[in-house]
Amino acid sequence: SANHIKLPNTATEAEVLKCIASLNGDPAVHGFIVQLPLDTDKPINTEKITNAVAPEKDVDGLSSINAGKLSRGDLGDCFIPCTPKGCMELISFSAFQADLVAAEAPLCFSTASVGKADILVVAAGKAEMVKGEWIKPGAIVIDCGINHVPGAWVMYKDDIEISQSCIPKPIDQVAREVGLLPDEVELYGQTKAKVHLSALKRLKNQPDGKYIVVTGITPTPLGEGKSTTTVGLVQALGAHLHQNVFACVRQPSQGPTFGIKGGAAGGGYCQITPMEEFNLHLTGDIHAITAANNLVAAAVDARIFHELTQTDQALYNRLVPSVSGVRKFSDIQIRRLQKLGINKTDPTALTKEEVNLFVRLDIDPGTITWQRVLDTNDRFLRKITIGQSPTEKGFSRMAQFDITVSSEIMAVLALSDGLDDMKKRLGRMVVASSKRGEPVTTDDLGVTGALAVLMRDAVKPNLMQTLEGTPVFVHAGPFANIAHGNSSVLADKIALKLVGKEGFVVTEAGFGADIGMEKFFNIKCRYSGLRPHVVVLVATVRALKMHGGGPAVTAGVPLPKEYMEENLQLLERGCSNLNKQIQNARMFGVPVVVAVNAFKTDTKAELALVVQLAKEAGAFDAVECTHWAEGGKGAVALAQAVQRASQAPSNFRFLYNVELPVIDKIRLIAQQIYGASDIELLPEAQEKVTLYTKQGFGNLPICMAKTHLSLSHDPEQKGAPTGFILPIRDIRASVGAGFLYPLVGTMSTMPGLPTRPCFYDIDLDPVSGEVNGLF
């Protein structure tokens, strides 16, 4: 078997020598080569590197010892370099016994001598140097070149193969390079770490860098490469243009990793690494959210049960027990008393009426909105009956499980700007209404402090890196439909301080610009106070053809021929969606750079047409990108366009004032962002508008829960539809996170497993310990 070990181009000579020494001493490694020239930003002595390879493992024959034996003729006691040996072996099988002309870079040769050769071996170091007309008919050409040809595509390798072929820098080194102090970093092995919030306090007077958000056109079900573009852009800015840069991305759910979608670390040569760490447990944040969420769910049902089976006095005696003859309210119980208008701190001083108010939350089971969660796709948990054990005395009810990343606690984590703010948001979460129509919160349940304890580590951003050694914060991963679909405010704030005034922070917004970007602006930026400098809008020829009327695109099914062949008319029609999403971004006063994510089936004419139409639609610039195949190098032009755009005026503004009535805020989003003529509230939604306004939640921002496959509510309507009525089926509240989310259609919050899930291909090598099959 063979392994490809790829060090980042920021690796030092000492790091390369350390890697070579490890291979020299590994008995399982029989030989290895060091690929020259070294692609590095650091000064490295090539001769020192090649001579560090043990002669008995120097299969390239480049060390001084092997080269000396070869020149002396000791062919049985040295490695013969594989390229010339391979060429001679090929020649030995040919029928020609004619002259051989070698075209090698430093040597002089004439086109005449090339034209006489029966066999031509070319290793000139320059692509397409030897012309076809120079070679005589019937001659054999052996091309040893490994030169890059622009527009050519690399051989396909699985994402995990690429990820595992690269040796990441030790994460403590990454932390030092970005300016973090040792006591601000909590290591989780060699490849990931948590960053303490004390770093933000230390850097509070440091000016912020440039704030870039990556979004996309309305996608196909396959996705159009926002994560890949985010990583490619930061690799280009950092490893190639030598700017201070950070990526800030969401942590993915494990559900899709084992389901049908796979992981979310980027792809090709633009990945966050190690991808298996990124896509699986990471540092346990999602597990902490699962525990916290389910503690709330357990508290809700337990409270209902105990209130139904006990008198007021029995409840009071258990809620405020006598310890060594002394009864005392806890801090959270004092807050509940104050909320009820009872300004007493002595448990013996409450009247019977006050005791009744204190102990009875009187939850209406039909209004419970808080569900249990699990980070696994399981369709059979979408509707369940709980409380069927005899010990629950017949108090059963219908309930459900959601996937963990849809929990409001995940959205709270993403929007908090510190421990204190997170604790307050956790306490404000509404789980149900009382039979009097009053909101019941986690603070009323008495669970806020326990939630904060469970989340105390999760609030710290996770530090990782890309394949090219640029730093990444991976933190929070809220749904992009019933929540706002963006990574954490805290990660962005710390990153903006670390990169400094001239640096760049690139974050990604989920789904298309009509969903993730709109929520990034109207919700995330509203709460964080941060102001973006540039929008990067990712587009693909594939998706635009779909919007132009192309056949349906289905995950796991080969693409129809319309997507594999040039079709400029179909493409131009589909650019109506690109045009609308550019206008949506510009509506917020931020310059837009379109990243045309190129696929190998795209033609030059198609890519040029998208670039042209994007600029005509008002984009600051539009750039073809090949970062999936080339890494950061393939996104350098995009990075340069982003640099220029970040210097342009940015007059950021919100779409609406939160003081507007709920219906008006929904209508503005529907008309301005989606293209609807109006909205229609179904009876249940109208009742919720009245209820939430009465409960004091009417001034919260709006987080639309809508299909991501169309600008409208109908996933079959492609392009840029107009004139439709947007139906609002229901409205729900995430009061702790801080938004209302209208439901446009039916939203699944628990995915199911397909017939052939990804887990069929996932395995662990018991010898190496490596994970196989993730993508």
Side-chain angles (χ1 to χ4, degrees):
S1 64
N3 277 330
H4 178 200
I5 298 173
K6 183 177 180 182
L7 300 175
N9 62 358
T10 53
T12 63
E13 183 175 275
E15 289 168 340
V16 178
L17 290 170
K18 181 180 178 182
C19 181
I20 291 172
S22 173
L23 295 172
N24 284 339
D26 187 346
V29 176
H30 301 111
F32 62 95
I33 67 172
V34 178
Q35 182 63 54
L36 301 176
L38 294 169
D39 178 19
T40 177
D41 294 337
K42 307 292 184 183
I44 295 181
N45 185 324
T46 301
E47 186 176 0
K48 187 175 180 181
I49 295 298
T50 54
N51 282 327
V53 179
E56 66 274 14
K57 296 188 178 185
D58 179 26
V59 294
D60 229 5
L62 295 181
S63 67
S64 298
I65 292 174
N66 268 319
K69 288 181 178 180
L70 182 65
S71 63
R72 204 168 56 218
D74 296 339
L75 301 185
D77 190 32
C78 69
F79 277 109
I80 301 173
C82 56
T83 301
K85 185 175 182 180
C87 291
M88 296 306 296
E89 189 72 14
L90 287 170
I91 292 167
S92 71
F93 283 97
S94 76
F96 290 103
Q97 299 298 321
D99 292 337
L100 174 69
V101 175
E104 189 172 350
L107 302 179
C108 296
F109 64 92
S110 67
T111 57
S113 62
V114 169
K116 294 177 182 177
D118 295 307
I119 302 173
L120 181 67
V121 180
V122 184
K126 181 179 179 182
E128 301 174 347
M129 179 177 178
V130 177
K131 309 300 180 187
E133 59 267 22
W134 297 358
I135 303 166
K136 78 176 186 180
I140 292 175
V141 178
I142 301 176
D143 185 0
C144 304
I146 53 170
N147 305 295
H148 169 68
V149 178
W153 290 81
V154 297
M155 184 183 298
Y156 179 77
K157 291 175 70 176
D158 287 337
D159 288 344
I160 194 162
E161 290 178 323
I162 295 171
S163 177
Q164 291 176 344
S165 70
C166 301
I167 297 180
K169 293 184 285 189
I171 201 65
D172 57 341
Q173 178 185 334
V174 176
R176 288 194 304 274
E177 290 174 354
V178 301
L180 290 166
L181 303 180
D183 61 357
E184 294 169 342
V185 180
E186 191 175 325
L187 300 179
Y188 280 65
Q190 293 295 310
T191 58
K192 54 191 177 180
K194 279 196 166 290
V195 174
H196 290 261
L197 304 189
S198 58
L200 186 58
K201 184 177 181 181
R202 174 176 65 86
L203 298 167
K204 64 181 180 180
N205 295 323
Q206 170 92 340
D208 288 347
K210 307 290 187 183
Y211 197 26
I212 316 299
V213 61
V214 176
T215 184
I217 62 170
T218 305
T220 68
L222 306 179
E224 310 317 310
K226 293 193 308 297
S227 297
T228 306
T229 303
T230 299
V231 175
L233 176 56
V234 298
Q235 288 182 165
L237 284 166
H240 296 266
L241 299 181
H242 312 295
Q243 302 295 305
N244 289 344
V245 67
F246 241 104
C248 293
V249 301
R250 289 184 291 169
Q251 180 184 354
S253 165
Q254 284 181 179
T257 300
F258 294 102
I260 192 169
K261 179 178 176 289
Y269 288 90
C270 292
Q271 294 187 52
I272 297 163
T273 187
M275 71 166 291
E276 58 268 42
E277 298 284 355
F278 177 86
N279 283 307
L280 298 177
H281 306 284
L282 196 57
T283 56
D285 294 352
I286 290 181
H287 301 315
I289 291 166
T290 301
N293 183 100
N294 292 343
L295 179 61
V296 175
V300 170
D301 287 304
R303 187 59 178 259
I304 293 173
F305 173 78
H306 291 307
E307 288 188 23
L308 286 170
T309 56
Q310 298 180 54
T311 65
D312 287 358
Q313 194 58 48
L315 281 170
Y316 192 58
N317 289 342
R318 287 179 172 85
L319 287 170
V320 192
S322 175
V323 180
S324 301
V326 178
R327 301 180 76 179
K328 183 180 178 181
F329 291 120
S330 65
D331 290 343
I332 201 165
Q333 290 176 325
I334 294 288
R335 289 205 299 272
R336 171 150 175 80
L337 288 169
Q338 292 171 343
K339 179 180 177 180
L340 295 169
I342 302 171
N343 297 312
K344 297 177 180 179
T345 57
D346 181 0
T348 64
L350 269 64
T351 66
K352 285 186 177 181
E353 292 76 14
E354 290 170 339
V355 167
N356 175 267
L357 284 173
F358 176 75
V359 301
R360 298 283 173 189
L361 298 181
D362 206 20
I363 294 171
D364 180 354
T367 67
I368 295 173
T369 56
W370 197 269
Q371 309 297 345
R372 288 162 174 82
V373 298
L374 187 70
D375 200 36
T376 301
N377 290 7
D378 191 345
R379 64 177 66 248
F380 284 91
L381 293 178
R382 290 170 177 167
K383 190 67 68 177
I384 59 173
T385 303
I386 60 173
Q388 291 189 320
S389 168
T391 56
E392 273 53 74
K393 303 179 182 179
F395 297 110
S396 63
R397 68 179 181 90
M398 296 295 290
Q400 69 186 56
F401 269 80
D402 296 334
I403 199 158
T404 298
V405 292
S406 71
S407 169
E408 184 178 350
I409 296 177
M410 178 64 89
V412 165
L413 175 65
L415 289 169
S416 298
D417 69 1
L419 268 171
D420 185 56
D421 183 49
M422 181 182 72
K423 187 176 176 181
K424 289 175 181 176
R425 288 175 180 271
L426 291 171
R428 290 199 298 264
M429 295 187 303
V430 174
V431 300
S433 292
S434 71
K435 292 173 182 175
R436 297 183 299 274
E438 297 167 350
V440 178
T441 67
T442 42
D443 219 45
D444 293 325
L445 288 167
V447 76
T448 304
L451 299 181
V453 169
L454 286 170
M455 295 292 292
R456 75 187 191 280
D457 290 323
V459 77
K460 306 167 192 171
N462 304 296
L463 180 65
M464 295 188 76
Q465 63 189 293
T466 70
L467 290 177
E468 297 184 17
T470 50
V472 181
F473 274 140
V474 183
H475 200 215
F479 254 29
N481 47 29
I482 68 166
H484 63 292
N486 285 265
S487 58
S488 80
V489 166
L490 277 168
D492 290 0
K493 285 190 170 184
I494 295 173
L496 285 164
K497 296 298 183 186
L498 287 170
V499 299
K501 186 176 180 180
E502 301 303 320
F504 294 84
V505 170
V506 182
T507 190
E508 178 193 343
F511 292 154
D514 55 307
I515 299 180
M517 182 198 72
E518 182 270 317
K519 295 173 184 179
F520 171 80
F521 288 145
N522 282 321
I523 298 176
K524 184 176 181 180
C525 290
R526 195 185 298 269
Y527 281 122
S528 70
L530 300 173
R531 297 296 178 260
H533 294 80
V534 182
V535 170
V536 174
L537 184 69
V538 180
T540 64
V541 168
R542 174 180 69 193
L544 293 171
K545 284 181 175 178
M546 178 193 70
H547 286 295
V553 175
T554 306
V557 177
L559 287 171
K561 66 179 180 64
E562 287 83 351
Y563 300 102
M564 312 298 286
E565 300 171 355
E566 184 174 286
N567 191 326
L568 297 178
Q569 287 184 327
L570 193 66
L571 179 61
E572 185 168 4
R573 287 200 303 271
C575 281
S576 61
N577 186 270
L578 173 63
N579 189 323
K580 174 57 178 166
Q581 298 288 31
I582 290 171
Q583 298 313 313
N584 283 344
R586 294 187 68 201
M587 202 177 297
F588 293 89
V590 183
V592 184
V593 174
V594 173
V596 186
N597 187 16
F599 287 70
K600 62 182 178 182
T601 52
D602 302 338
T603 68
K604 289 183 179 180
E606 287 175 331
L607 294 168
L609 179 62
V610 178
V611 168
Q612 173 196 331
L613 293 178
K615 291 178 180 178
E616 291 176 0
F620 177 90
D621 203 351
V623 182
E624 176 189 339
C625 305
T626 55
H627 46 275
W628 184 90
E630 298 185 297
K633 180 180 177 182
V636 167
L638 173 63
Q640 291 168 333
V642 167
Q643 284 182 299
R644 294 191 300 272
S646 71
Q647 303 299 324
S650 177
N651 303 305
F652 176 70
R653 54 187 174 272
F654 298 120
L655 181 66
Y656 56 80
N657 188 320
V658 289
E659 303 296 325
L660 288 173
V662 172
I663 294 176
D664 290 353
K665 288 181 284 193
I666 297 172
R667 182 177 288 112
L668 270 171
I669 295 171
Q671 293 177 334
Q672 298 296 314
I673 302 296
Y674 306 155
S677 59
D678 206 349
I679 62 173
E680 177 188 14
L681 267 68
L682 301 184
E684 193 170 357
Q686 186 62 62
E687 290 172 10
K688 292 292 180 64
V689 170
T690 303
L691 174 67
Y692 292 143
T693 303
K694 177 185 174 183
Q695 290 181 338
F697 307 141
N699 290 342
L700 292 175
I702 300 298
C703 182
M704 299 291 283
K706 179 185 76 72
T707 178
H708 63 291
L709 298 174
S710 172
L711 282 162
S712 75
H713 58 285
D714 180 1
E716 301 303 316
Q717 286 195 15
K718 304 302 182 183
T722 58
F724 57 91
I725 304 295
L726 190 76
I728 309 299
R729 180 174 64 83
D730 194 6
I731 302 176
R732 295 178 187 167
S734 287
V735 179
F739 51 75
L740 301 178
Y741 59 100
L743 299 178
V744 183
T746 303
M747 292 292 127
S748 174
T749 50
M750 171 54 82
L753 290 173
T755 305
R756 192 186 190 284
C758 298
F759 61 61
Y760 275 88
D761 300 310
I762 297 172
D763 201 1
L764 182 71
D765 186 323
V767 176
S768 68
E770 287 189 343
V771 175
N772 300 318
L774 278 180
F775 72 95

